[in-house]
Amino acid sequence: MAKAIRLAQTGGPEVLRCEDIEVGRPGPGQVRLRHVAVGLNYADTYFRDGTYPVPMPSGLGVEAAGVVQEVGEGVAHLAVGDRVTYTGFIDTLGAYSTERLISAAPLIRLPETIAFETAAAMTMRGLTSAYLMRRIYPFKQGDTLLLHAAAGGVGLIVAQWARLLGITVIGTVSTEEKAEMARSHGCAYTINYSHEDVARRVREITDGVGVNVVFDSVGQSTFMASLDSLKRRGLMVCVGTASGPVAPFGPQLLAVKGSLHLTRPALADYIADPVEKAQLADEVFGHVAAGRIRIEINQHYALQDAVQAHRDLESRKTTGSSIFVV
C-alpha cells in the first residue's frame, strides 16, 4: 500500500493525516509515479488552512521528484524508468505521497546530474527564481534589489543568481544566523527586521536613492516598508503573503511614493507555455549542475512527520529548502 498525507478539513497542522491509499492504474495521459523526495513549500500551508480553497477531502503538496512506474495510453514522451520532477498548483496537488497517479503534462525530465532530493527542493523554488530573475524585470549589472526572506529557499537561489548578474542584493532576515547564510549566498548587505527599520536602512545603503526592485514574499507586515525602499519608478513584486494578505489600498499611493510599479505574479502563468517552462527549467538546472547555484536542503522530514514540518515552516524555524524523504 502507498501512503499519502490527506486532510478532511482546513485548519492548522493538526488536520494532516497519514493514510494508506490504493494508487491504481494510470488512465489516458497519466503515469504512475513513485516518489523519492517531496518538496515542502509555504504554499502548502495555504491549501491546508483554506487560503487556497480546494474540495475536501484532499491531498497536499505540489512538488516532488521520482521514477515513472507505468505509463497510460497516449503518453509518448515518457517511459517506465524515467527520472522526472514536477511542480504546479491544483493540477499537481497530492505530492505528499509515496506513490501516485499524475498527468504526464507537468512532468519534467530530470537531468542525470541533478539528484532527486535536489530536484524536490528546487523545482518550484528554482522556476520561481528563474521567472523573477529573467522575466519580471530587465535586470542589468549595477541594479539594486531588496530581497525579503533572503535565507529562505527562493531567497538563497535568487541571491546567488543576482550575484551572477552583477546585481547588488540587500536581504532581510530575522536572525544573525540567517544573515550569515544570506551573505554567503550573494547578499551584499543584510537587514535584521526584528530590530532594524528596513526602509531607513535601505536608504542609508543606497545613499538615499532606493532600490530598483523589491521581491516581497512576506506581504502584510512588510508591504509599506517595501514601497518606501523603492527608488522613483521602481518595481514592487508581491511574490507571497507569509504574514498575511496585503490590505486594500488606492492606486494613488503608488503615485505619491514615486510613480511606482506593482505586480503580483504567479508561477503558473510563467510555466503555462511548455516552451517557456522548458527554457526556464533548462536555465536553472544548468546553473545548479554547473555549481553556479547551490541548493541548500537544511531540513529533512519523513512523510509521517508532516504536522511537525508545517509547524516548523510557519514558525520560521527553517532556512533554505525543506523536503520529505520518501
Side-chain angles (χ1 to χ4, degrees), residues 289-310:
R292 292 185 293 267
I293 290 178
R294 306 193 313 273
I295 304 301
E296 301 289 353
I297 308 174
N298 295 336
Q299 295 77 217
H300 298 75
Y301 300 93
L303 197 62
Q304 59 265 32
D305 295 329
V307 170
Q308 187 60 52
H310 274 231

Side-chain angles (χ1 to χ4, degrees), residues 196-219:
E196 293 183 278
D197 184 301
V198 171
R200 182 180 301 164
R201 281 291 294 130
V202 168
R203 293 293 171 182
E204 291 172 356
I205 292 167
T206 62
D207 295 325
V209 175
V211 296
N212 297 88
V213 180
V214 176
F215 290 163
D216 190 336
S217 59
V218 180

Side-chain angles (χ1 to χ4, degrees), residues 255-272:
V256 170
K257 291 187 176 293
S259 298
L260 304 179
H261 301 267
L262 181 146
T263 184
R264 189 10 177 140
L267 173 61
D269 294 313
Y270 287 84
I271 60 175

Side-chain angles (χ1 to χ4, degrees), residues 40-41 63 114 117-134 139 145 147-167 169 181-187 215 267 280-281 283-289 291-298 319-323:
L40 172 62
N41 296 288
E63 173 183 39
I114 305 292
E117 291 80 4
T118 302
M122 68 164 283
T123 302
M124 173 177 279
R125 295 169 180 85
L127 288 172
T128 298
S129 301
Y131 86 72
L132 288 174
M133 297 308 302
R134 306 300 280 174
F139 282 112
L145 168 68
L147 175 64
H148 287 290
V154 171
L156 294 179
I157 298 174
V158 165
Q160 293 175 84
W161 204 320
R163 181 168 57 185
L164 291 174
L165 298 177
I167 298 163
V169 182
M181 182 174 294
R183 288 192 293 267
S184 71
H185 285 73
C187 288
F215 290 163
L267 173 61
L280 294 174
E283 189 162 4
V284 69
F285 285 147
H287 282 314
V288 172
R292 292 185 293 267
I293 290 178
R294 306 193 313 273
I295 304 301
E296 301 289 353
I297 308 174
N298 295 336
T319 58
S321 296
S322 303
I323 63 170

Side-chain angles (χ1 to χ4, degrees), residues 219-244:
Q220 186 180 86
S221 65
T222 55
F223 182 71
M224 293 306 296
S226 294
L227 294 184
D228 289 336
S229 298
L230 283 164
K231 68 189 303 182
R232 183 175 287 121
R233 293 163 59 183
L235 173 64
M236 169 67 170
V237 185
C238 298
V239 190
T241 55
S243 68

Side-chain angles (χ1 to χ4, degrees), residues 77-102:
H77 65 292
L78 293 171
V80 172
D82 280 352
R83 303 169 76 249
V84 296
T85 186
Y86 66 88
T87 189
F89 193 61
I90 301 294
D91 58 327
T92 61
L93 197 62
Y96 284 17
S97 57
T98 59
E99 198 169 336
R100 69 175 300 185
L101 298 179
I102 186 171

